[in-house]
């Protein structure tokens, strides 16, 4: 009789522990990070942001002939993210970013710049949870860029590294396939619109290259500036808890060298 009571109460205690643990995990996963504040813009505001974005790109191209500073605030970055479809429609008949995110079950991307960390946040529309990834960006002695995932969270709940690796590989595969499809379609499609020689496809190619490098070997950071007709190399990236994103550049005998300072 006594043994039965012990077994009974042990089972009850165990069940309570399981229920409490699940409840705590759910609460942690349901928390919205304080830094997750998607820009709420009306159509007219998004159209203005669209024009500011392409003017920003054009300024970069125009300044690439000489040493320069290029500044983007964290607020601007998030306004650009909130206006992606309008930005695409400026030079393209169709906006793909919204449909791609919808298919992936994500929405309202936000970035936050911390001390040495770039945090990317997305809303999962399937689970109604905010996913966050902390990225570190460092340079090797050879001047190559290394991108590492430091931590991934659902709400405030850390995600196991093994699961992060599997999901990241799936994302890389999907982006690579999409990039190849776009390149194949580009051969038979009419020329895409550009501003300052830059098209949405060019920006997508850069994004694909960066994502493919996450947790992989460091990658070179040189790229061509179409309007300036020269190559640019990012020399360093510093993420500092101040008020703006700052790209500084200077020339060498070979090409323009940039130093990108990501700041809050």
């Amino acid at each position: 009789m006594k043994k039965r009571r012990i077994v009974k109460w042990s089972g009850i205690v165990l069940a309570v522990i399981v229920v409490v643990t699940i409840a705590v995990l759910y609460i942690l996963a349901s928390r919205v990070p304080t830094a997750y504040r998607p820009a709420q813009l009306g159509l007219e505001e998004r159209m203005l942001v669209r024009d500011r974005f392409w003017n920003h790109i054009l300024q970069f191209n125009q300044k690439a002939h000489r040493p320069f500073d290029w500044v983007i605030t964290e607020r601007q970055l998030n306004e650009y993210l909130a206006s992606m479809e309008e930005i695409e429609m400026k030079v393209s008949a169709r906006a793909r970013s919204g449909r791609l995110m919808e298919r992936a079950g994500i929405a309202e991307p936000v970035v936050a710049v911390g001390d040495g960390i770039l945090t990317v946040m997305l809303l999962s529309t399937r689970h109604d949870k905010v996913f966050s990834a902390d990225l570190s960006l460092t340079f090797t002695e050879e001047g190559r860029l290394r991108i590492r995932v430091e931590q991934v969270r659902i709400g405030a709940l850390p995600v196991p590294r093994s699961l992060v690796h599997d999901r990241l590989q799936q994302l890389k595969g999907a982006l690579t396939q999409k990039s190849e499809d776009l390149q194949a379609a580009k051969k038979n499609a009419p020329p895409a619109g550009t501003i300052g020689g830059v098209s949405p496809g060019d920006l997508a190619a850069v994004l694909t290259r960066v994502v493919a490098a996450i947790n992989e070997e460091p990658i070179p950071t040189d790229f061509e500036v179409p309007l300036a007709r020269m190559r640019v190399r990012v020399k360093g990236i510093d993420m500092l808890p101040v008020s703006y994103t700052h790209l500084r550049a200077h020339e060498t005998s070979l090409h323009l060298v940039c130093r990108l300072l990501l700041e809050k």
Side-chain angles (χ1 to χ4, degrees):
M1 192 72 176
K2 191 174 181 180
K3 285 185 178 180
R4 288 182 181 178
R5 288 182 180 177
I6 293 175
V7 172
K8 177 183 177 180
W9 283 106
S10 296
I12 292 173
V13 170
L14 182 59
V16 170
I17 292 173
V18 171
V19 170
V20 170
T21 300
I22 292 173
V24 169
L25 293 177
Y26 181 81
I27 292 171
L28 288 174
S30 299
R31 284 186 179 176
V32 177
T34 55
Y36 184 71
R37 296 185 295 272
Q40 303 297 323
L41 305 175
L43 177 59
E44 186 175 344
E45 291 173 299
R46 295 198 303 272
M47 299 296 277
L48 291 173
V49 169
R50 174 202 67 181
D51 294 337
R52 288 200 295 268
F53 173 84
W54 286 112
N55 285 336
H56 223 147
I57 296 297
L58 189 59
Q59 289 171 14
F60 177 85
N61 278 271
Q62 292 171 338
K63 290 182 177 182
H65 292 285
R66 61 188 187 280
F68 67 96
D69 289 346
W70 198 60
V71 177
I72 308 179
T73 67
E74 185 180 276
R75 177 178 177 179
Q76 283 176 315
L77 287 170
N78 286 311
E79 287 181 346
Y80 293 160
L81 289 172
S83 309
M84 284 189 292
E85 291 197 352
E86 286 73 20
I87 287 170
E88 285 185 81
M89 293 294 288
K90 178 79 172 180
V91 293
S92 176
R94 293 187 301 170
R96 298 185 176 91
S97 58
R99 291 196 299 273
L100 289 175
M101 289 199 300
E102 185 177 351
R103 290 175 188 170
I106 58 176
E108 299 184 321
V110 171
V111 296
V113 179
D115 190 2
I117 293 293
L118 178 67
T119 301
V120 180
M121 292 164 280
L122 297 162
L123 175 66
S124 170
T125 56
R126 296 169 183 169
H127 306 96
D128 195 29
K129 301 288 187 296
V130 177
F131 287 71
S132 307
D134 294 338
L135 304 177
S136 63
L137 296 87
T138 57
F139 278 75
T140 66
E141 293 182 357
E142 296 77 20
R144 290 175 171 256
L145 175 63
R146 175 180 285 114
I147 307 172
R148 288 282 182 265
V149 176
E150 300 300 331
Q151 189 177 55
V152 173
R153 296 174 299 280
I154 302 174
L157 181 67
V159 177
R161 287 188 175 272
S162 58
L163 183 58
V164 171
H165 177 269
D166 293 342
R167 295 296 184 185
L168 184 58
Q169 294 306 116
Q170 292 177 13
L171 174 61
K172 290 178 182 180
L175 280 176
T176 299
Q177 183 61 53
K178 188 63 180 179
S179 179
E180 292 174 353
D181 292 345
L182 288 174
Q183 290 299 321
K186 188 177 179 181
K187 296 178 181 179
N188 302 318
T194 66
I195 294 181
V198 179
S199 70
D202 297 327
L203 299 178
V206 171
L207 175 62
T208 300
R209 182 184 181 190
V210 170
V211 172
I214 296 176
N215 287 353
E216 303 290 348
E217 291 298 316
I219 58 172
T221 61
D222 59 304
F223 59 94
E224 185 174 353
V225 178
L227 192 63
R229 294 182 180 178
M230 65 186 304
R231 294 193 70 78
V232 171
R233 178 169 60 86
V234 177
K235 186 180 179 182
I237 298 179
D238 298 329
M239 286 170 283
L240 307 172
V242 290
S243 60
Y244 55 87
T245 298
H246 190 183
L247 185 142
R248 179 169 297 153
H250 66 275
E251 288 183 286
T252 68
S253 58
L254 297 177
H255 43 52
L256 196 71
V257 176
C258 300
R259 184 165 183 81
L260 178 63
L261 303 179
L262 290 180
E263 302 175 341
K264 188 174 181 62

